[in-house]
Amino acid sequence: MSTIEVGLPDGRTLEVSQGATVLDVAEQIGAGLARAALAGRIAGELVDLRQSLDASCSLEIVTTKDPAGGEVIRHSAEHVMADAVKRLFPQAQVDAGRTDHTEKFQYDFKVAEPFTPEDLDAIAAQMKKIVKEKADFVREVVTREEAERIFTEMGEDLKVQRLHDIPDGQDITLFRHGKFVDLCRGPHVRNTKQIGAMQLIEAAGAYWKGDERNEMLQRIYGTAFATKDELKEHNERLEQARERDHRRLGTQLDLFHLDPDAPGSPYYLPKGMVVYNGLVDFMKSLYPKYGYSEVMTPQVNRARIYKTSGHYDMFHDDMFWMDGADDEEEVGVKATNCPCHCRVFSLGKRSYRELPLRLAEFSRLHRNERSGTLTGLSRVRSMAQDDAHIFCEPEQVEDEVARFFEMLKEVYTALGLDGLEVKLETRPEEFMGDPADWDVAEGRLKDAVEAAGFQCGINPGEAAFYGPKVACDFKDVLGRSWTLGTIQMDMAMPGRFGLHYTGRDGEEHQPAMLHRAVLGSLERFMSLYIEHTAGDFPLWLSPVQVAILPIADRHHDYARKVADTLAAGGIRVFVDDRAEKLNYKIREAELQKVPIMCVLGDQEEEAGTVSPRLRRVGEHRAEAMAVDAFVEDLTGRVARREV
RNA sequence: GCCGACGUAGCUCAGCUGGUAGAGCAACGCAUUCGUAAUGCGUAGGUCGCCGGUUCGACUCCGGCCGUCGGCUCCA
């Protein structure tokens, strides 16, 4: 029997016989390692312990110390859950599990009745029993026919259908533990006893193969860790995350209100409005630099313009419609600015000399989103985007994309936001235009993103109907991804509106059109920004910038005088003249995330100074300074939009 | 829209198997006038999401609707 060489992380090389498994190698390194082993890793890919090694390679043994170990544990707990469900509900059919086990696991089941919370408790209890049975996971490679026979006999019709989706020529592997068997690529732990702590999260409906037209299966989510402590830590992290959920902070900090009488349509309260306006003003301040012109176009338009744009057919059910005042045709509240911006372009004869024409608008947009999709400020029916449409010559598109990303970088840096994921979304099933044009446009966009210095992932089939799109995604506090900034090419609108310009050759040409937003929807941006900052906004965006805290009633006059001076300098100031102790006022201002507090007592009043306490830098007693100097310092920081 | 859970005072929440509601914080009043994260006492505040049903009696049980939350789907 021939031998192969296995390179280890510490630089050593082991000689093992060809066909030895990952576990064999682990045992050869040490019995302790073999006991702790959860999986192997070859060239960055996780492999199952029972995988045989046919050629020399570099191998790493993954244990609980490796973050990937948790994924293996959760994946294995997933099988234990399906086993438990089958034991308690023998009629249940098992569909597929989850592919991403970084945080949780899941399985979909076809059952007559949805699972109740009591069912989940019973399933969780059953899972514990199964783990105690200490069954080894067994990996089998079988033929397609064999697999089909096994699952047909078990009555697992969904599984048989899934089997048909596996391309020919690919190994079909099964994993067993005890009597439970499932079609699975692995990897799995050696023995169920390695699953130290499990927890079911919830049950939810999910359409078979993710398609609304299919029947709804019942999904169970759960998570698992090597130890109870890790599970506890995980739950504590989640709890902390919920503390900074924008909906919670929105109430605590009086930023916005979501009313049952206006689902998905936020009320901005005075403090939220400061943040909203701050962001809008910031974007507007950049318009001269990046060459945008602001317009304002009608909220309500006749159906005709939406028929021209294509929105009437594509999104009729998702718009708000009304009867016209007379017997004229129906009118719709705009869901997007693009039709109107096309109309603006079409006014008068355009020359190449005017291009690129960049039209920006902050109008509120209304989309009649399905009730189940609404979520806080993240997904709303009433919103505004920092929207703009760029009309340019086709050969200017790449420059425009580059310019967009330059602006985007400036904005996100100024706001202290990082962690953006940039993705190209490609042609969807329903689209307008020529597929060949799409291919070219997609390629150009991707190149431009990479030229701007971003890694560009791909989301296949996710683009809008009119053209490919680049989306900048950001994760919320619960780990959900939301698109903020976006730039997309429009292959449809210029043609539909018959847009053209006179080129330098004297001929008429159709302009290229780009849709773009840096912040995306202001609502969604606020939701993520509130969570990102935990409501602790930079000075220039803080609803209350300075809290004046007089120590005793006799300081109230001086407090008001200082406040008036600050307010006259454009600073948002609040005087806490309640008959409360200083500590109480400080605590209150801390909880309201007021960035600067001025405690005023005899010392300050006599000297005519303030002693600012800067919350952000944890500076409790700064040097006393003259009020005028303080105002000057603050207005400077605000004007520079210091983070 | 679909699946599930939830909906009690401004906020956060308690209220066992049906007998018309309670706490903490906030608000308000009085006292306190205090130097860097909670002063004390008191007052007020709720047709228990809405509508209907069962019952002598419903916050509690049942049904419908509305909304919220978590998923699914959708997202110009």
Side-chain angles (χ1 to χ4, degrees):
Chain A
M1 189 187 281
S2 55
T3 60
I4 56 172
E5 290 191 344
V6 175
L8 301 177
D10 62 4
R12 279 193 300 158
T13 302
L14 274 189
E15 243 179 46
V16 300
S17 53
Q18 189 181 19
T21 65
V22 173
L23 189 57
D24 291 337
V25 176
E27 262 158 13
Q28 212 164 317
I29 300 170
L33 182 64
R35 264 197 305 280
L38 295 169
R41 185 186 280 121
I42 298 174
E45 292 281 314
L46 285 181
V47 294
D48 191 72
L49 291 170
R50 284 133 296 226
Q51 174 93 45
S52 55
L53 304 171
D54 299 322
S56 296
C57 60
S58 292
L59 174 70
E60 193 184 336
I61 304 296
V62 172
T63 66
T64 52
K65 290 192 184 111
D66 192 310
E71 295 177 30
V72 180
I73 285 172
R74 284 181 276 286
H75 188 181
S76 302
E78 187 170 275
H79 281 227
V80 169
M81 173 180 72
D83 185 4
V85 170
K86 285 295 281 187
R87 290 190 195 189
L88 294 172
F89 304 88
Q91 300 306 313
Q93 279 189 41
V94 181
D95 185 36
R98 194 177 169 90
T99 46
D100 173 11
H101 293 98
T102 48
E103 276 198 38
K104 42 191 172 183
F105 64 75
Q106 75 189 42
Y107 248 115
D108 292 354
F109 302 96
K110 183 175 172 181
V111 281
E113 294 292 324
F115 295 110
T116 63
E118 292 73 34
D119 291 340
L120 289 194
D121 290 344
I123 293 164
Q126 184 67 236
M127 288 170 71
K128 282 189 181 148
K129 278 191 203 159
I130 293 170
V131 165
K132 282 193 190 136
E133 290 169 10
K134 298 184 182 175
D136 277 335
F137 272 87
V138 180
R139 178 175 185 267
E140 286 173 40
V141 181
V142 296
T143 63
R144 186 172 291 269
E145 293 68 30
E146 218 175 321
E148 195 157 340
R149 185 183 55 73
I150 290 171
F151 290 115
T152 305
E153 275 173 15
M154 289 167 62
E156 297 282 2
D157 301 341
L158 295 178
K159 215 47 133 177
V160 175
Q161 291 189 56
R162 288 276 181 188
L163 201 52
H164 297 319
D165 295 340
I166 299 179
D168 279 333
Q170 201 171 309
D171 270 354
I172 294 181
T173 56
L174 305 181
F175 274 86
R176 295 178 185 275
H177 68 268
K179 287 186 185 146
F180 181 83
V181 58
D182 195 17
L183 183 65
C184 179
R185 266 188 293 250
H188 282 287
V189 297
R190 226 178 59 218
N191 188 291
T192 55
K193 71 181 177 193
Q194 288 172 295
I195 306 167
M198 305 174 293
Q199 170 180 294
L200 293 186
I201 300 170
E202 64 163 352
Y207 298 104
W208 155 246
K209 289 191 180 178
D211 191 328
E212 202 174 15
R213 291 163 300 194
N214 291 339
E215 68 176 314
M216 186 161 257
L217 305 178
Q218 294 302 317
R219 176 172 297 175
I220 300 178
Y221 288 96
T223 190
F225 291 88
T227 63
K228 290 199 172 71
D229 284 349
E230 281 175 72
L231 175 62
K232 201 175 146 203
E233 259 173 53
H234 174 256
N235 284 330
E236 279 164 6
R237 267 199 309 278
L238 280 183
E239 190 44 46
Q240 279 172 7
R242 284 189 203 105
E243 297 273 314
R244 54 161 66 193
D245 186 310
H246 76 275
R247 292 164 293 195
R248 180 187 283 253
L249 289 171
T251 304
Q252 271 171 19
L253 303 178
D254 289 321
L255 298 173
F256 59 87
H257 163 71
L258 290 163
D259 196 272
D261 284 338
S265 304
Y267 282 57
Y268 284 98
L269 303 179
K271 288 180 179 174
M273 205 57 211
V274 169
V275 181
Y276 183 99
N277 280 334
L279 292 168
V280 170
D281 292 346
F282 177 40
M283 294 312 298
K284 286 186 181 176
S285 77
L286 295 172
Y287 283 167
K289 176 173 174 188
Y290 290 96
Y292 288 88
S293 318
E294 207 182 342
V295 293
M296 187 151 75
T297 62
Q299 283 292 327
V300 177
N301 295 272
R302 282 189 174 181
R304 188 168 56 177
I305 197 169
Y306 304 117
K307 287 177 181 164
T308 302
S309 68
H311 292 97
Y312 190 88
D313 291 329
M314 298 292 287
F315 295 104
H316 188 272
D317 290 348
D318 304 310
M319 289 176 65
F320 292 98
W321 294 97
M322 292 170 282
D323 293 333
D326 307 319
D327 274 342
E328 61 195 21
E329 79 181 314
E330 59 183 335
V331 294
V333 180
K334 73 172 160 189
T336 169
N337 292 310
C338 24
C340 294
H341 289 187
C342 285
R343 182 59 47 83
V344 172
F345 185 90
S346 72
L347 302 175
K349 211 158 157 51
R350 298 289 178 184
S351 149
Y352 74 93
R353 291 171 185 276
E354 296 173 73
L355 304 186
L357 181 67
R358 308 183 188 90
L359 300 176
E361 176 155 2
F362 277 99
S363 287
R364 294 209 63 84
L365 308 172
H366 291 81
R367 300 178 178 181
N368 201 357
E369 305 283 4
R370 294 155 87 182
S371 57
T373 63
L374 303 176
T375 304
L377 288 186
S378 315
R379 186 74 187 273
V380 290
R381 288 193 173 134
S382 170
M383 57 184 251
Q385 296 176 306
D386 65 312
D387 198 14
H389 294 92
I390 300 169
F391 300 90
C392 62
E393 297 190 84
E395 47 279 10
Q396 291 173 323
V397 165
E398 276 166 90
D399 280 352
E400 287 305 309
V401 175
R403 176 187 286 258
F404 166 76
F405 275 102
E406 198 185 319
M407 182 173 183
L408 184 131
K409 274 197 259 188
E410 175 168 355
V411 170
Y412 282 75
T413 304
L415 291 166
L417 274 168
D418 45 24
L420 273 191
E421 253 184 62
V422 184
K423 286 192 178 137
L424 174 70
E425 303 188 345
T426 60
R427 192 169 69 238
E429 274 177 41
E430 271 187 271
F431 66 97
M432 288 178 181
D434 181 351
D437 292 343
W438 276 78
D439 292 342
V440 172
E442 286 171 7
R444 279 199 193 140
L445 268 182
K446 188 162 191 291
D447 291 346
V449 172
E450 283 165 357
F454 289 95
Q455 278 220 316
C456 189
I458 308 270
N459 267 346
E462 292 292 317
F465 68 90
Y466 49 67
K469 161 179 180 181
V470 175
C472 303
D473 292 349
F474 197 78
K475 282 200 172 67
D476 75 7
V477 85
L478 298 174
R480 299 177 292 199
S481 236
W482 301 91
T483 293
L484 293 179
T486 171
I487 183 161
Q488 22 196 319
M489 295 193 57
D490 195 316
M491 329 281 289
M493 222 70 78
R496 296 180 75 96
F497 278 88
L499 304 183
H500 48 83
Y501 66 95
T502 311
R504 65 196 72 207
D505 57 4
E507 301 290 323
E508 291 301 298
H509 299 274
Q510 190 177 95
M513 179 177 176
L514 296 165
H515 304 239
R516 50 105 284 172
V518 173
L519 302 177
S521 117
L522 268 293
E523 283 59 34
R524 179 173 297 175
F525 185 85
M526 295 247 317
S527 76
L528 289 160
Y529 194 58
I530 289 167
E531 295 183 359
H532 181 80
T533 58
D536 191 358
F537 302 112
L539 183 66
W540 63 278
L541 277 175
S542 288
V544 174
Q545 295 168 312
V546 178
I548 306 276
L549 312 180
I551 288 173
D553 288 357
R554 65 177 179 279
H555 307 121
H556 285 182
D557 284 345
Y558 181 58
R560 275 187 275 274
K561 208 177 112 199
V562 171
D564 287 346
T565 310
L566 290 172
I571 300 296
R572 295 182 289 272
V573 57
F574 166 75
V575 181
D576 191 346
D577 56 6
R578 292 176 297 181
E580 296 289 350
K581 295 183 76 170
L582 178 61
N583 279 348
Y584 178 87
K585 296 181 184 179
I586 289 173
R587 178 182 157 81
E588 189 87 330
E590 288 284 349
L591 294 176
Q592 285 296 309
K593 320 266 175 167
V594 179
I596 297 170
M597 291 168 228
C598 290
V599 175
L600 298 185
D602 293 337
Q603 292 165 26
E604 285 76 15
E605 183 161 5
E606 278 160 27
T609 58
V610 291
S611 312
R613 169 185 163 123
L614 309 175
R615 202 166 63 77
R616 187 173 292 276
V617 294
E619 194 177 319
H620 283 196
R621 272 200 129 165
E623 295 286 304
M625 59 200 290
V627 179
D628 288 344
F630 181 51
V631 173
E632 198 177 317
D633 179 57
L634 285 186
T635 48
R637 287 169 193 263
V638 170
R640 291 190 297 276
R641 294 196 170 88
E642 282 183 16
V643 177

